[in-house]
Amino acid sequence: MNEAPALQIDWGGLAPMIIVFVAAFLGLLVEAVVPKGKRLVVQVSLAVAALAGSFAAVAVLLNDDTNTTAFSIEGVRLGSVVLDGPGLFLQGTIAVLSVIAILLLAERRTVKGGDFVAEAAVVADSAADKAQSREPGATEIFPLTLFAVGGMMMFVTAGDLLTMFVALEMLSLPLYLLCGLAKRRRLISQEAALKYFLLGAFASAFYVYGMAMLYGFAGTVDLAGINQAGISSDEPRMLLYIGVAMIAVAMLFKAAAVPFHMWTPDVYTGAPTPVTALMAGCVKVAAFGGLLRVFNVGLSSSAWDWHLILTVIAVATMIGGAIFAVTQRNIKRLLAYSSIANAGYLLVGVIALGDAVGSTMFYLAAYGFTVIAAFAVVSLVRDGDEEATHLARWAGLGKKSPGTAVVFTILMLALAGLPFTSGFSAKFSLFAAALQADELGLVIVGVVSSAILAFPYLRVVVLLWLNEPAPDAPTVNLPSPMAGTVVAAGVAATLILGFAPGFLLDIVDQASTFLGT
């Protein structure tokens, strides 16, 4: 009797994800066995240590020029998890940004007990809810965050549509919960979570339907196999068109691209600000990491079929996000529409395919640091226990708290793409790569959109420095070392990648080739 061939597993290649998932399960045990008063320190230490270990494992794999799959049978590669340059770089980016986000989640000084509710099951605005608002926030948020981060890491290295779907659900489900755990304005937070969940469920259904169509066309869910089928398959081409459209709907929903962006402003506004920062930074990296892999590895042979529609979506996203950002009077909604416009710029990199992979990854890293720091500053400006999110409340902040105003000015200038900031380096690199790919029209639209989007950012700068503060102006709470580290890391990365981006550009250039392309 012949033995079945043995499955070979590259445990070292899986180490970055294994570390994070093991820490997430340990975090659940911490909730069961550690006294409540000690859980915060234990959970934060565990999460930061796990993410640091995960980043170290990624660094080792990148240094070894790993370019293989995690699973194989008798030397034949199975593409479920792909260990290549783009996947490993994006895993490392997610790990670093997640450490910063974890520190922001752990902030307890700006508001007593933190931004998170102690007991999520308590009815909003009830007497019990008001009583628990004075208690420390739940620490279950840390293992939930680690599960989401593990899903993001799997998403950017998934080599087939089925593994990608599992990763998509793994990163999404914890986020649905986290969005509804705000201590203040709980009904708005719960509405944001419900809206995100319902629309996310629809997006997942689109993904599964699209996966079925592509399987019918290619006979496989492996991305490399789908790409080959785009050249040689005898199945009706309509199956490919429908499958690509359905898959794109689901992934563009996560990326917050027009017209699948409607959830973004409400969820960004209603979710606790640390969760919003996590979504704006880390989820953006994961979403576009997945898009880069799908379109470069799985659909490059059929680029003619999807190029036009994705170009229209990119143009609508760049222009729509910028125009709507101009009209906003709420700082979190302004950053939400800014995120939408930036999704449009990143789509330019997706459309340009291999020529722009490295520049797109640089853009994701630079934007992630800046936007997380921006939301950290937003969480510090307070009207009592509430965040002062209306722009009018920020008037004259430079005269009352010049240090905070200087930091926020740097971040706004970076988001506007002004020279000597990471925003300028990222846009210049991305648009230059798009020009090399003959995407002149998209670059022109991107430049116009950037000019429009600069207006609301510069308006905030003017508001900070040239307006007089109101008599009842908001206060800037002194952050703990954790939130202070978040802001300092974001500003440092913004300036370093603005003045000296070469070292990171060299890294992404060396790590920009997908396995199988």
Side-chain angles (χ1 to χ4, degrees), residues 255 284 288 317-318 321 335 337-347 363 367 415 427 430 453 457:
K284 188 76 74 179
F288 276 96
T317 304
M318 288 187 284
L335 291 173
Y337 280 107
S338 162
S339 174
I340 293 168
N342 278 277
Y345 307 144
L346 288 161
L347 279 176
Y363 196 113
Y367 177 76
L415 290 172
K427 282 192 174 73
L430 183 63
L453 193 58
Y457 296 137

Side-chain angles (χ1 to χ4, degrees), residues 303-452:
W304 179 259
D305 298 313
W306 53 259
H307 183 275
L308 177 60
I309 185 62
L310 206 60
T311 298
V312 172
I313 291 173
V315 170
T317 304
M318 288 187 284
I319 297 298
I323 290 176
F324 282 113
V326 171
T327 66
Q328 300 307 307
R329 295 293 181 268
N330 182 294
I331 188 66
K332 290 179 75 173
R333 293 183 73 87
L334 168 58
L335 291 173
Y337 280 107
S338 162
S339 174
I340 293 168
N342 278 277
Y345 307 144
L346 288 161
L347 279 176
V348 175
V350 174
I351 294 168
L353 293 176
D355 293 317
V357 171
S359 299
T360 306
M361 294 194 300
F362 178 86
Y363 196 113
L364 287 167
Y367 177 76
F369 279 107
T370 302
V371 76
I372 291 176
F375 278 111
V377 174
V378 170
S379 71
L380 300 178
V381 183
R382 297 267 174 175
D383 275 326
D385 286 339
E386 300 284 346
E387 293 170 346
T389 55
H390 198 284
L391 283 178
R393 303 294 293 151
W394 289 61
L397 189 66
K399 299 176 182 178
K400 292 199 65 176
S401 183
T404 303
V406 167
V407 167
F408 205 64
T409 297
I410 293 171
L411 299 173
M412 290 294 100
L413 295 180
L415 290 172
L418 268 65
F420 305 113
T421 66
S422 60
F424 175 81
S425 301
K427 282 192 174 73
F428 185 86
S429 172
L430 183 63
F431 290 160
L435 283 175
Q436 291 181 351
D438 297 325
E439 299 292 349
L440 176 61
L442 283 174
V443 173
I444 292 174
V445 174
V447 171
V448 172
S449 169
S450 298
I452 297 172

Side-chain angles (χ1 to χ4, degrees), residues 20 47 51 90-91 93-106 115-116 140-153 170-181 196 254-255 263-264 267-269 271-288 332 335 339 364-365 367-377 379 486:
V20 173
L51 291 169
L90 292 170
Q91 279 191 338
T93 303
I94 291 168
V96 174
L97 295 177
S98 297
V99 169
I100 300 174
I102 286 287
L103 295 178
L104 189 57
L105 288 166
D115 289 309
F116 294 90
E140 295 95 325
I141 59 174
F142 298 103
L144 284 173
T145 302
L146 288 177
F147 278 119
V149 170
M152 296 176 207
M153 288 183 165
M170 196 173 297
L171 76 89
S172 298
L173 293 175
L175 290 174
Y176 299 150
L177 294 173
L178 290 169
C179 286
L181 298 181
Y196 191 28
K254 279 298 175 192
W263 61 274
T264 311
V267 173
Y268 275 35
T269 303
T273 299
V275 176
T276 305
L278 176 72
M279 295 169 62
C282 302
V283 175
K284 188 76 74 179
V285 174
F288 276 96
K332 290 179 75 173
L335 291 173
S339 174
L364 287 167
Y367 177 76
F369 279 107
T370 302
V371 76
I372 291 176
F375 278 111
V377 174
S379 71
V486 173

Side-chain angles (χ1 to χ4, degrees), residues 158-248:
D160 64 56
L161 295 178
L162 187 58
T163 304
M164 191 168 280
F165 175 71
V166 173
L168 179 65
E169 294 305 292
M170 196 173 297
L171 76 89
S172 298
L173 293 175
L175 290 174
Y176 299 150
L177 294 173
L178 290 169
C179 286
L181 298 181
K183 179 178 288 187
R184 314 294 175 188
R185 302 194 301 168
R186 286 198 63 203
L187 289 176
I188 295 176
S189 176
Q190 291 173 0
E191 177 191 348
L194 182 61
K195 184 176 294 186
Y196 191 28
F197 168 69
L198 291 176
L199 293 176
F202 279 115
S204 296
F206 274 99
Y207 186 98
V208 173
Y209 188 69
M211 180 169 59
M213 293 295 104
L214 288 177
Y215 180 79
F217 173 75
T220 180
V221 292
D222 182 75
L223 292 177
I226 292 171
N227 193 55
Q228 181 60 37
I231 302 172
S232 59
S233 177
D234 294 327
E235 299 296 331
R237 203 77 179 171
M238 185 58 65
L239 291 174
L240 174 66
Y241 301 154
I242 297 174
V244 171
M246 297 297 101
I247 292 286

